[in-house]
Amino acid sequence: MTQVEAERLVELAKRRGFFLQSAGAYGGVSGFYTFGPQGAAMKRNVEATWRDRFAIQEGHMEVDAPTVLPEPVFEASGHLDGFDDMLVECPECGESHRADHIVEDTETGIEEAESLAPERIEEVIAEYELVCPTCGTGLAGQAIEQFNLMFETTIGPGSSSPGYLRPETAQGIFIEFPQLAEYARNQLPFGVTQIGRAYRNEISPRKSLLRVREFSQAELELFIDPEVDEPDLSAVGDVSARFYPAKAQDCEGGGVIETTIQKAVDNGIIADPWIAYYLGVAAEWYQRIGLDMDRFRFRQHRPGELAHYSEDCWDAEGDVSDPGKEPDWIELGGFAYRADYDLSKHDAHSEEDFTVFKQYDDPVTVEKPTVDPDMSYLGPEFGGAAGDVADALESLAEDTPDAFEGEDVTVEVGGDEYTVPVEKTGFAVEEMTESGEHITPHVVEPSLGIDRALYTALDHAYREDEVDGEERTYLSLPPEVAPTTVGVFPLMDKDGLGERAHEIADDLREAGFAVTYDDSGAIGRRYRRQDEVGTPYCVTVDYDTLEDGTVTIRDRDSTDQRRVAVEDLAATVEALVAGEETFATL
Ligand code: GAP
């Protein structure tokens, strides 16, 4: 989409009620958008398809956690310390910018500048004499600040209990893991989904819905036993998509590979089968909500981009440029193998146990090194440190039983070394029967942005053509996500046509369709209005309807029309929406 077309889409979105910048009456607020009637309906439909594909069809649970969580949650998750973007402030106009974006958007040739150290960004800014995008003043010499993206608040009066608006829905799932595991009868694998708002105080929100400060995420956290659980790849093995592996991004002439999920795994393009599985599920879903799969790809993170806990990560990306122009790829979703990072962190920081008990098929006999320190020796010998020395001996026996092979054993407590005769440690190796063990599940996470998916679906559906010598704009949205399924118009609001059209509209609503009734202006105008909001079918009630009980049904994309008996109308629309019938064969 060219800049001009992008502006036309944003203009259409506002005029027709998809989305608009919030608080316009107060000058507008950057990074916050209100979904109007069309946008809210479309968003609901997009979320419903995600719920259907990622939760219902996969047999996963869904939760709805608070958007404000207390500080310790984000201390444990690492967001408090590390959820930062690099900020550079213009010395002249005072505008704040994302320093990595300034580096990427200019002639440096550097992509993914986010992975560079702030010192390196400062060097690049000086080397290329980069300037403030707002006023053109040179930014060389300006310090790069790490800016935490979380919105802070206080929970209750006073400041003793800080809280944060969640920057991702995921933490609301992780912190409830002990209870969620109970609901899943402690059986791995199990998945928990959530669709909800997330908040990031972006330094420079941009491109309308694409980088905002409040947005919706749809996330699935799949908890697995990494030693035994495997996905059923055959379910998505035939799904075809474009893949852009890390190696291809780094070598000259490296390109995108179009292949199936199964072949991508067989050929080593995707290393982890779980990631492959969800790329397949996601490709089906993005296609279902109307993305043009020729303008869609999966891009693997390069080593420098990977979060420290993530072993492999792929992004779903959509091109929001005009077809045929230089692509403008935006990240639509992330697919990460997060290993045991999240659960281990919450296990370490909280009072709860974030493991599950894994029962063995048959009990096993194991040798277990134990200690039973002689406190009548440790007490007088080490005074106040005796208890800690005993604990240190216990840990050492578990981790390094060989250390007890000599006459003495040495442990470190608080930086000091304590040497104990082995005979005073009560060291022994006992045989024990164990029926299972506690393991920390690994997490596979598809995390999709709803606003970006919705925007890209609108972008890919945006069409301009000519009908009866007149220019028209229409949105070729799939019926399942279009805000309205059927527009119902009386040819004129007289001779009983209006009453009959109202009855037909009511019957269609009762059958479960989203219906718009419109009796104002010429029929051609009414068609244009529905075309612009992507309504796939319009029904016109005319004098023949009163005579023979038929109506005209019109297809948005082809503008073809057919006559259908009113009594068959709901079934016909249902078959068209479900793809069981096509307009051409009606
Ligand atoms: N739990 C993992 C996580 O939050 P992320 O890549 O930071 O991963 C997931 O976010 C998705 O959320 C992104 O792929 C994107 O679609 C959406 N998203 C993130 N920041 C956004 C923003 N400022 N505006 C709109 N969507 C955003």
Side-chain angles (χ1 to χ4, degrees):
M1 177 159 288
T2 56
Q3 193 56 32
V4 174
E5 282 188 352
E7 279 164 18
R8 275 190 220 153
L9 177 63
V10 171
E11 184 275 324
L12 182 149
K14 183 173 178 187
R15 183 166 44 82
R16 289 288 179 217
F18 280 91
F19 55 85
L20 65 154
Q21 197 183 33
S22 300
Y26 293 91
V29 54
S30 203
F32 291 91
Y33 279 80
T34 296
F35 287 97
Q38 306 296 342
M42 181 171 166
K43 181 166 179 277
R44 227 176 22 247
N45 293 344
V46 168
E47 289 173 356
T49 60
W50 189 92
R51 178 174 290 113
D52 175 58
R53 187 63 191 90
F54 283 83
I56 297 171
Q57 287 190 39
E58 296 293 304
H60 297 323
M61 305 182 232
E62 182 174 358
V63 297
D64 190 359
T67 52
V68 175
L69 291 168
E71 187 168 70
V73 170
F74 299 110
E75 264 165 12
S77 68
H79 285 91
L80 209 53
D81 275 344
F83 198 59
D84 301 329
D85 274 345
M86 285 179 272
L87 178 151
V88 62
E89 198 178 297
C90 174
E92 183 61 30
C93 69
E95 195 77 34
S96 295
H97 301 285
R98 256 186 81 166
D100 51 327
H101 285 172
I102 289 183
V103 166
E104 284 166 12
D105 292 349
T106 39
E107 70 287 359
T108 58
I110 297 174
E111 293 169 22
E112 314 302 340
E114 200 177 353
S115 56
L116 299 179
E119 299 74 30
R120 178 69 194 126
I121 296 277
E122 279 176 23
E123 282 168 18
V124 175
I125 287 177
E127 202 175 311
Y128 287 87
E129 298 176 356
L130 302 184
V131 297
C132 168
T134 312
C135 72
T137 301
L139 294 172
Q142 286 302 105
I144 306 292
E145 192 191 315
Q146 292 285 16
F147 177 76
N148 193 292
L149 297 185
M150 284 198 296
F151 283 99
E152 190 177 0
T153 184
T154 51
I155 300 174
S159 57
S160 60
S161 182
Y164 294 87
L165 296 183
R166 63 182 181 195
E168 58 174 10
T169 64
Q171 295 307 321
I173 296 176
F174 295 138
I175 56 173
E176 308 308 346
F177 176 81
Q179 196 58 49
L180 294 167
E182 290 275 315
Y183 300 148
R185 296 176 303 283
N186 286 300
Q187 301 287 311
L188 296 175
F190 72 89
V192 184
T193 64
Q194 181 167 211
I195 303 174
R197 294 291 209 191
Y199 302 83
R200 298 184 187 179
N201 199 3
E202 297 286 351
I203 294 169
S204 31
R206 54 183 183 172
K207 294 188 184 168
S208 69
L209 290 186
L210 297 181
R211 186 171 296 281
V212 282
R213 291 179 166 137
E214 174 172 347
F215 54 97
S216 293
Q217 288 186 319
E219 299 200 293
L220 160 64
E221 309 303 329
L222 183 80
F223 300 101
I224 60 163
D225 176 347
E227 282 184 5
V228 294
D229 292 331
E230 279 178 17
D232 174 15
L233 263 189
S234 68
V236 292
D238 289 341
V239 174
S240 189
R242 295 173 176 203
F243 300 92
Y244 193 25
K247 277 188 194 137
Q249 296 161 50
D250 282 334
C251 73
E252 193 119 323
V256 169
I257 301 160
E258 186 161 358
T259 187
T260 63
I261 294 289
Q262 187 62 57
K263 285 186 186 148
V265 172
D266 294 344
N267 297 334
I269 296 168
I270 315 171
D272 184 81
W274 281 109
I275 297 284
Y277 180 78
Y278 285 112
L279 295 189
V281 172
E284 284 182 337
W285 180 74
Y286 282 116
Q287 187 160 23
R288 180 169 162 184
I289 63 162
L291 263 60
D292 175 354
M293 297 314 272
D294 289 339
R295 301 169 66 195
F296 176 90
R297 69 183 184 189
F298 290 116
R299 188 183 69 79
Q300 188 179 27
H301 281 206
R302 289 186 287 191
E305 283 177 79
L306 279 178
H308 56 282
Y309 52 78
S310 190
E311 292 177 13
D312 192 15
C313 190
W314 287 74
D315 283 345
E317 293 187 333
D319 169 22
V320 290
S321 68
D322 200 19
K325 297 268 160 41
E326 194 67 13
D328 181 6
W329 293 105
I330 54 145
E331 178 197 324
L332 301 172
F335 302 78
Y337 191 93
R338 300 176 67 109
D340 64 354
Y341 175 82
D342 307 279
L343 296 185
S344 299
K345 286 282 176 191
H346 289 299
D347 191 277
H349 281 74
S350 73
E351 305 287 303
E352 294 267 352
D353 178 8
F354 284 71
T355 64
V356 292
F357 188 71
K358 177 179 169 182
Q359 194 97 27
Y360 297 142
D361 291 340
D362 297 305
V364 293
T365 305
V366 291
E367 289 192 336
K368 195 152 183 159
T370 60
V371 289
D372 182 13
D374 179 353
M375 295 310 284
S376 67
Y377 170 83
L378 259 54
E381 196 69 18
F382 305 128
D388 290 339
V389 172
D391 290 344
L393 288 169
E394 193 179 326
S395 304
L396 188 66
E398 270 174 31
D399 299 341
T400 326
D402 294 354
F404 292 80
E405 278 173 4
E407 290 202 347
D408 296 322
V409 61
T410 301
V411 288
E412 200 182 294
V413 172
D416 294 324
E417 288 195 341
Y418 297 85
T419 300
V420 186
V422 168
E423 60 176 11
K424 300 291 182 195
T425 65
F427 178 80
V429 178
E430 290 174 13
E431 283 210 336
M432 287 183 163
T433 304
E434 287 186 348
S435 59
E437 63 180 320
H438 284 272
I439 63 160
T440 306
H442 281 200
V443 171
V444 183
E445 183 196 61
S447 168
L448 282 71
I450 293 293
D451 309 64
R452 289 185 185 178
L454 183 148
Y455 181 95
T456 310
L458 286 174
D459 179 301
H460 289 193
Y462 185 90
R463 309 263 191 286
E464 289 173 355
D465 67 357
E466 208 172 272
V467 174
D468 300 333
E470 254 188 59
E471 274 186 14
R472 101 170 156 146
T473 300
Y474 68 103
L475 297 175
S476 181
L477 292 169
E480 202 180 12
V481 300
T484 299
T485 318
V486 196
V488 176
F489 317 145
L491 185 65
M492 282 181 268
D493 195 13
K494 60 180 192 181
D495 302 330
L497 292 178
E499 287 80 358
R500 188 71 189 107
H502 270 300
E503 282 167 12
I504 289 170
D506 287 345
D507 287 348
L508 286 169
R509 286 192 187 108
E510 215 165 284
F513 299 111
V515 175
T516 293
Y517 183 88
D518 188 355
D519 59 5
S520 62
I523 280 285
R525 287 264 141 264
R526 291 184 243 170
Y527 282 143
R528 296 293 170 277
R529 280 201 285 270
Q530 292 307 312
D531 288 344
E532 273 197 322
V533 296
T535 304
Y537 307 109
C538 286
V539 166
T540 304
V541 175
D542 54 21
Y543 287 101
D544 285 347
T545 312
L546 304 182
E547 296 273 311
D548 64 9
T550 63
V551 287
T552 304
I553 181 166
R554 171 193 180 262
D555 177 56
R556 174 198 61 208
D557 293 3
S558 63
T559 72
D560 285 349
Q561 302 192 13
R562 302 275 187 280
R563 284 207 83 87
V564 175
V566 172
E567 63 199 36
D568 298 334
L569 186 60
T572 303
V573 173
E574 194 169 328
L576 287 167
V577 169
E580 290 155 7
E581 181 82 78
T582 65
F583 210 80
T585 57
L586 255 194

